Amino acid sequence: MERVAVTGLGPVSSIGVGASAFIGALRAGRSGISPIVSFDPTGFPSTQAGEVHGFRPTDHLRRIDPARWGRSSQFAASAARLAMKHARLQADQIRPGRGHAVIGTTSGESQVLEALTAQVVHHGFQAQQPELLQQLGANRLAHAVSEELDLCGESLTIATACSASNYAIGYAYDLLTAGEADVVLAGGADSVCRWAHAGFYRLGALTGTACAPFDRDRSGILTGEGGAVLVLETFAHAHARGARIQAELLGYGLNCDASHPVAPDTASIAECMRIAHRNAGVQAADVDYICAHGTGTPANDLVEGRAIQEVFRGQPPPVSSIKSMIGHTMGAACGFGAIAAVAAIDHGFLPPTINWQNPDPELEGLDPIPNTARSAAVRIAQNDGFAFGGNNAIVMLAAAP
């Protein structure tokens, strides 16, 4: 069975665009949260989000015309282009049909949908712009990557909400280990939008202040956006072109709570961790760092923390949530988490959970790496992703051999 290498990272985030900027911001514990400009947030108790300000797709895109694509597709294609550059991989080094694009999302082209809805509300269905209608399909996120990079393999968008990037990475793992691909661009993309902001507010999950995962007084999420794509390739393909392998993708675990549309389940999440460990061929004691889902809501962090306590028998490795810095980027969240996990392995540091002040007595023994990054030798990292609908997905990464 083929082994899977991570050779390129492509983050487009509120704390930095490109691997160097993003990793530097993670190490510095920088916040990307700022006042919302994507829509008018008047009337919401929270008017902050992790938006990517100053994003210019023309800085990155070479083949597709940004005017024909929505913001989420632009994020996906730009992140993929950045990942290819970081991997020093050229399109002509990928055999026809052996390069694939798999992109996860929650909302797809949410801003396009909102614009079309406004046209219908104010002027009727006949007012909908054909150019916007062409941009609407969520499948276009992966297609933007394929068209931008001239990939002729599978072009698949996975919409399993906030765990979608881990689903995409898991699907890429299967393609590569089964010998069906040489290279897969995998990750996720989403944009800040009014309806997601409103939805989390109505669920009581939106904080009005800072996102503080695993803190005793945490009060909810802040929405975010961006694109996060990794270049994954077989060891054989990476070695043949002389690529530097930044980490190895060991495997993944998937399951579903099958119990509630929004409430996470401790037993199911704990089992997903065990599945991921078995698939990756590791023991819980082997894990050096957990990049948590860590949304900052009271329920999610408690359930995830209890699952970690159960699986790691009260002695978990350090755990942090980068959502404290970039907000909840929805379908891109696990992609950013995977990039952070690779950075931890390749650069020897643990990203912090910023905004943390008080330990939660119900999460005794959990080390959230509070506020300041920490130097560490990370051999194996676990990247958690849990979504509405009970869609749990965890990927396991390791230091390159």
Side-chain angles (χ1 to χ4, degrees), residues 12-16 31-33 49-53 225-226 325-327 336:
V12 177
S13 80
S14 60
I15 59 171
S31 173
I33 305 303
E51 293 177 312
V52 185
H53 297 303
E225 67 178 2
M325 291 181 256
I326 64 175
F336 284 121

Side-chain angles (χ1 to χ4, degrees), residues 245-316:
I245 297 174
Q246 298 166 41
E248 179 176 2
L249 177 58
L250 294 179
Y252 67 95
L254 307 176
N255 69 359
C256 181
D257 297 346
S259 60
H260 195 280
V262 298
D265 178 75
T266 300
S268 181
I269 287 173
E271 181 57 22
C272 190
M273 293 180 189
R274 296 187 184 100
I275 293 168
H277 295 168
R278 288 197 298 270
N279 184 278
V282 303
Q283 302 294 319
D286 298 329
V287 179
D288 300 307
Y289 167 62
I290 299 174
C291 190
H293 190 60
T295 61
T297 65
N300 177 88
D301 291 5
L302 181 61
V303 167
E304 183 175 12
R306 284 176 171 171
I308 290 169
Q309 290 171 327
E310 178 183 329
V311 171
F312 290 86
R313 299 183 180 181
Q315 296 182 314

Side-chain angles (χ1 to χ4, degrees), residues 33-59:
I33 305 303
S34 60
I36 293 170
V37 298
S38 294
F39 62 89
D40 181 2
T42 302
F44 286 103
S46 174
T47 59
Q48 305 279 312
E51 293 177 312
V52 185
H53 297 303
F55 170 63
R56 294 183 298 272
T58 51
D59 289 347

Side-chain angles (χ1 to χ4, degrees), residues 202-221:
R202 291 293 291 153
L203 285 168
L206 195 67
T207 184
T209 55
C211 177
F214 304 112
D215 186 274
R216 180 195 64 198
D217 302 321
R218 63 190 181 274
S219 56
I221 76 162

Side-chain angles (χ1 to χ4, degrees), residues 181-233:
D182 296 327
V183 177
V184 183
L185 279 292
D190 262 306
S191 304
V192 163
C193 61
R194 177 186 291 274
W195 76 263
H197 199 78
F200 280 102
Y201 166 64
R202 291 293 291 153
L203 285 168
L206 195 67
T207 184
T209 55
C211 177
F214 304 112
D215 186 274
R216 180 195 64 198
D217 302 321
R218 63 190 181 274
S219 56
I221 76 162
L222 290 172
T223 55
E225 67 178 2
V229 174
L230 297 85
V231 174
L232 305 173
E233 54 187 310

Side-chain angles (χ1 to χ4, degrees), residues 7 9 36 42 85 99-100 125 136 151-152 184 202 276 279 305 323 344 346 361 368:
T7 57
L9 307 175
I36 293 170
T42 302
K85 182 179 180 180
H100 306 249
F125 283 98
L136 184 59
L151 303 176
C152 301
V184 183
R202 291 293 291 153
N279 184 278
K323 291 181 180 66
D346 196 38

